[in-house]
Amino acid sequence: MRIARTVLSVLLATLFLGLSAPLAQTRAAPYTFSTEELISGFMKTVFGLEYRSWSWQPYLVKKYVGPVRFYVHNLARRDRKPVAYRFIGSLGRSVRGLATTIVARPEDANFHIYIVDRSQYGDVVRERIYNDPRADVPGRCLVRVVSDSSGISQSAAVIVSDEGDFLFRRCLVEEVLQGLGPMNDDPSLSHSVFNDRSRHSRFTSFDKYILNMLYHRRIRPGMRPAQVEPLLPSIVREIRPLVN
């Protein structure tokens, strides 16, 4: 994501003449994504799956239709819950149409986040995500989503804690966002965490657009690309004032 930088002007003083130029401050304009860029990003992330063998419905809209109830299982040596809670809390403020809460009991959750050390990763994925001791465990971190034409019913993410703050924050943001519906990665999305080659570790403005588009009231679970794409130009116009 191109980051707006404050450009401080230099005060020019003509000391010998006793004159000074006025202090002029200019601010570099933030990057403005075109409607075409946002529609392309939406289509690339919402339709398709990073691991396509995980689902027989990759080209349908996947989203929650009710509140997303999070429970954070901190199994790692370091307590990362405060960081996870802050990010979860930011989601409801950043995405219109998405309601999030943190529940006190795991049985009340429909989105589980497991924070683990690397040595725990494989066992937690096999036992708690797939309930299969022989399951393949890909990636540095992952999320699994259970969805049908009525929406997402369950998500579960496994985030590694002990391989540095960057990887932890990157995985937390990417896997939680993917667990809300945009499950595909694409190497062309340089402004997004939905790109394993990018170096973002925060909820970027580009990704806020994608989530606000997905959680717009006119986008429904189970919709196909041909149904969604004609709606997107007007949705982009509507959500532009919401994203910063």
Side-chain angles (χ1 to χ4, degrees), residues 75-139:
L75 308 178
R77 287 169 295 177
R78 181 175 175 183
D79 184 7
R80 298 277 199 172
K81 280 187 177 181
V83 178
Y85 288 163
R86 285 195 296 272
F87 177 58
I88 293 167
S90 75
L91 292 171
R93 298 190 297 270
S94 300
V95 182
R96 177 177 288 185
L98 176 66
T100 65
T101 186
I102 297 170
V103 296
R105 303 187 307 169
E107 58 267 30
D108 294 332
N110 55 12
F111 199 134
H112 293 263
I113 300 175
Y114 295 91
I115 300 174
V116 303
D117 291 329
R118 176 59 69 189
S119 61
Q120 302 168 303
Y121 180 73
D123 288 341
V124 169
V125 171
R126 293 185 186 97
E127 294 171 8
R128 304 206 186 190
I129 307 302
Y130 293 117
N131 194 27
D132 180 354
R134 296 172 296 178
D136 182 40
V137 182

Side-chain angles (χ1 to χ4, degrees), residues 115-190:
I115 300 174
V116 303
D117 291 329
R118 176 59 69 189
S119 61
Q120 302 168 303
Y121 180 73
D123 288 341
V124 169
V125 171
R126 293 185 186 97
E127 294 171 8
R128 304 206 186 190
I129 307 302
Y130 293 117
N131 194 27
D132 180 354
R134 296 172 296 178
D136 182 40
V137 182
R140 299 178 301 173
C141 45
L142 61 78
V143 66
R144 186 186 186 209
V145 170
V146 179
S147 180
D148 58 24
S149 60
S150 63
I152 298 174
S153 57
Q154 288 282 333
S155 299
V158 185
I159 312 299
V160 171
S161 169
D162 63 343
E163 293 186 341
D165 285 344
F166 173 81
L167 180 65
F168 171 73
R169 292 176 184 275
R170 163 73 188 219
C171 284
L172 177 68
V173 173
E174 180 180 11
E175 306 305 335
V176 170
L177 294 182
Q178 288 192 326
L180 296 173
M183 293 195 64
N184 199 33
D185 277 0
D186 192 284
S188 70
L189 302 178
S190 59

Side-chain angles (χ1 to χ4, degrees), residues 40-41 43-47 49-50 52 170 174 178 182-198 206:
S40 176
M43 300 300 287
K44 288 174 178 177
T45 56
V46 170
F47 297 110
L49 296 171
E50 186 175 2
R52 299 189 182 191
R170 163 73 188 219
E174 180 180 11
Q178 288 192 326
M183 293 195 64
N184 199 33
D185 277 0
D186 192 284
S188 70
L189 302 178
S190 59
H191 301 287
S192 174
V193 296
F194 303 129
N195 172 5
D196 287 340
R197 299 177 185 177
S198 77
F206 186 89

